[in-house]
Amino acid sequence: MTPSTATTLTPGARRILEVASSLFYERGIHAVGVDTIAAESGVTKRTLYDRFGSKDGLVVAYLAERDRRWRELVVDALEAAAPDPSSRVDAVFEVLATWTAANGRGCSFVNAAAELPDPAHPARALIREEKQWLRERFADVLTEGGVADADAVAATLLLLHEGAFVVLSAGQDPDAVSEARQAAGAVVRASLGSAGDRAGRGPHGSTS
Amino acid sequence: MTPSTATTLTPGARRILEVASSLFYERGIHAVGVDTIAAESGVTKRTLYDRFGSKDGLVVAYLAERDRRWRELVVDALEAAAPDPSSRVDAVFEVLATWTAANGRGCSFVNAAAELPDPAHPARALIREEKQWLRERFADVLTEGGVADADAVAATLLLLHEGAFVVLSAGQDPDAVSEARQAAGAVVRASLGSAGDRAGRGPHGSTS
DNA sequence: TCCTTCCTTCACAGGTCTGTGTAGTCTACC
DNA sequence: GGTAGACTACACAGACCTGTGAAGGAAGGA
């Protein structure tokens, strides 16, 4: 538990960030004005600009804070899981299930990317890194589990993970996460199977 | 080839829709004002409101038109493909490759969903139907190909398809679509293998 | 000739947006 | 007592937002 970014904030700044985080996520970034954020934080606009410099600065802080909280969950889940690749990958998808249960509006990074087309926007780097980080966690788990083509399998797992987020929120399929979880399990088992023999049962074949 | 929605539009309305489509997609819906759209279409704001009623009406028309064009591509590709499930599923992912090459800002429906949180917004129904439609096309192809658990496999294919879109645009991984295409091929082959033929190369084997 | 459709021109209402300038208060700490 | 930091209060700039009202021109069909 390293002292988080949140700890270094002044009380007003922390309230601003909490309110902004909630409003940006629920309503969208462009749809929420700084006046609203300041009012709901019980703070003046002056304070908001003194703390975060600009609306963009606040947006970046919002994404960074969500990123931090989510990574913490993933890291903790990976440490708590049984050491075999199937269990560890499944733990990541369980975090997704928990996270989406409390965050019904999809992935804040994907949503932010939709609203911030400028590739030079500082938030875009955060978004890119978030996806890459998860992919690397998958690859680590698979490599440590002895999977040969860990990078390729990790790529597939990332696709399933992100696909679940989108199909759940935009497509409104309530089973998306559990579908992804099952498919991920099948992919991991197939990749473990192919380490020894190349047969590979189907992704929807018999489970335990 | 049924006469499309576009054909019934007046010349001015068609220009408005073309411009709005381009601007909404490239910059986002909230970020583009009706003044800009009217000006770039060489049309007055009055005409825009006479044709589409409101900005929301124009947004719905924009999404419906993109939906129509994309479905046309998918239907054509499915008809042109060899009749086996692997080829037909691959054809859908080839459409995705073509489409994303010309549409670098991700899925317009996912982006719209990010900007339109209200579940009652008419665009949300379009978005939900679009994802469902693709899933049903996958399920049809698999059922006709004799796959037993066609629905579950179709769900996985949809996850890979949507995941590719997101990882490409938000995650900025240029290989996302081809990764999804390969993974989809492996999933389909595995599901076929578990029905009849036992070919089952690994999930990351050679593709043609 | 009349009527409809499409579109133009232009002003305007009423609001919201991000961001700044100025002045001053309260609290904690040295 | 002095000082620094956090915060309030509030007006304001300048731009942009969606949407409407009133009046009229031009083309094509009945």
Side-chain angles (χ1 to χ4, degrees):
Chain A
M1 293 286 170
T2 58
S4 67
T5 314
T7 327
T8 69
L9 295 175
T10 63
R14 185 151 44 240
R15 286 205 311 278
I16 293 168
L17 189 50
E18 277 164 17
V19 168
S21 193
S22 166
L23 292 181
F24 283 156
Y25 183 69
E26 295 299 332
R27 303 188 202 166
I29 293 169
H30 281 326
V32 177
V34 287
D35 283 296
T36 306
I37 295 170
E40 301 239 331
S41 312
V43 147
T44 60
K45 225 168 21 161
R46 245 276 159 258
T47 302
L48 189 153
Y49 277 94
D50 283 347
R51 294 295 138 250
F52 296 96
S54 66
K55 186 181 179 181
D56 261 12
L58 183 53
V59 168
V60 171
Y62 147 64
L63 291 173
E65 175 63 11
R66 281 188 77 98
D67 190 30
R68 192 188 62 74
R69 271 169 28 211
W70 171 76
R71 288 193 195 195
E72 208 169 271
L73 287 183
V74 172
V75 168
D76 288 354
L78 283 175
E79 280 175 10
D84 62 291
S86 286
S87 300
R88 299 183 79 195
V89 166
D90 193 61
V92 175
F93 279 84
E94 190 168 348
V95 169
L96 178 63
T98 310
W99 185 264
T100 53
N103 295 273
R105 279 263 299 145
C107 175
S108 50
F109 296 90
V110 172
N111 292 353
E115 293 203 70
L116 307 170
D118 179 9
H121 194 289
R124 295 303 295 253
L126 275 180
I127 297 167
R128 193 172 53 247
E129 281 159 22
E130 193 252 359
K131 303 302 171 209
Q132 204 178 348
W133 181 83
L134 179 57
R135 186 177 167 154
E136 284 165 6
R137 293 294 72 68
F138 280 137
D140 287 352
V141 165
L142 294 166
T143 303
E144 287 164 22
V147 173
D149 47 357
D151 282 345
V153 179
T156 301
L157 293 177
L158 181 63
L159 293 172
L160 291 171
H161 189 275
E162 300 306 305
F165 236 140
V166 163
V167 172
L168 176 67
S169 61
Q172 301 187 349
D173 172 3
D175 300 325
V177 173
S178 74
E179 286 162 358
R181 202 170 169 179
Q182 284 183 274
V187 166
V188 171
R189 279 194 304 277
S191 75
L192 288 171
S194 72
D197 83 278
R198 209 80 181 116
R201 286 156 306 193
H204 302 282
S206 63
T207 322
S208 63
Chain B
M1 295 284 171
T2 58
S4 69
T5 313
T7 329
T8 70
L9 295 175
T10 62
R14 185 150 44 240
R15 286 205 310 278
I16 292 168
L17 189 51
E18 278 165 15
V19 168
S21 193
S22 165
L23 292 181
F24 282 156
Y25 183 70
E26 295 300 332
R27 301 188 204 167
I29 292 169
H30 281 326
V32 176
V34 286
D35 282 297
T36 307
I37 295 170
E40 300 238 331
S41 311
V43 146
T44 60
K45 225 170 18 163
R46 246 279 155 251
T47 303
L48 188 154
Y49 277 93
D50 284 347
R51 293 296 137 248
F52 295 96
S54 66
K55 187 182 179 180
D56 261 12
L58 183 54
V59 168
V60 171
Y62 147 64
L63 291 173
E65 175 63 12
R66 281 187 78 97
D67 191 30
R68 193 188 61 76
R69 270 167 33 208
W70 171 74
R71 288 194 195 195
E72 208 170 271
L73 286 182
V74 172
V75 168
D76 288 354
L78 283 175
E79 281 175 9
D84 63 291
S86 286
S87 301
R88 299 184 79 193
V89 166
D90 192 62
V92 175
F93 279 84
E94 189 168 350
V95 169
L96 178 63
T98 312
W99 185 264
T100 52
N103 295 273
R105 277 263 299 145
C107 175
S108 50
F109 295 89
V110 172
N111 292 354
E115 293 203 71
L116 307 171
D118 179 9
H121 194 289
R124 296 304 295 254
L126 275 179
I127 297 166
R128 193 171 54 246
E129 283 159 21
E130 193 250 2
K131 303 301 173 211
Q132 204 178 346
W133 182 83
L134 179 58
R135 186 177 168 154
E136 285 165 6
R137 293 292 74 70
F138 279 138
D140 288 351
V141 164
L142 295 165
T143 303
E144 286 165 23
V147 173
D149 47 359
D151 282 345
V153 179
T156 302
L157 293 177
L158 181 63
L159 292 173
L160 291 171
H161 189 274
E162 299 307 305
F165 237 140
V166 164
V167 173
L168 176 68
S169 62
Q172 300 188 352
D173 171 4
D175 300 326
V177 173
S178 74
E179 286 162 358
R181 201 170 170 178
Q182 284 182 274
V187 166
V188 172
R189 277 193 306 276
S191 75
L192 287 171
S194 70
D197 151 26
R198 191 139 297 276
R201 282 159 305 196
H204 302 283
S206 64
T207 318
S208 60

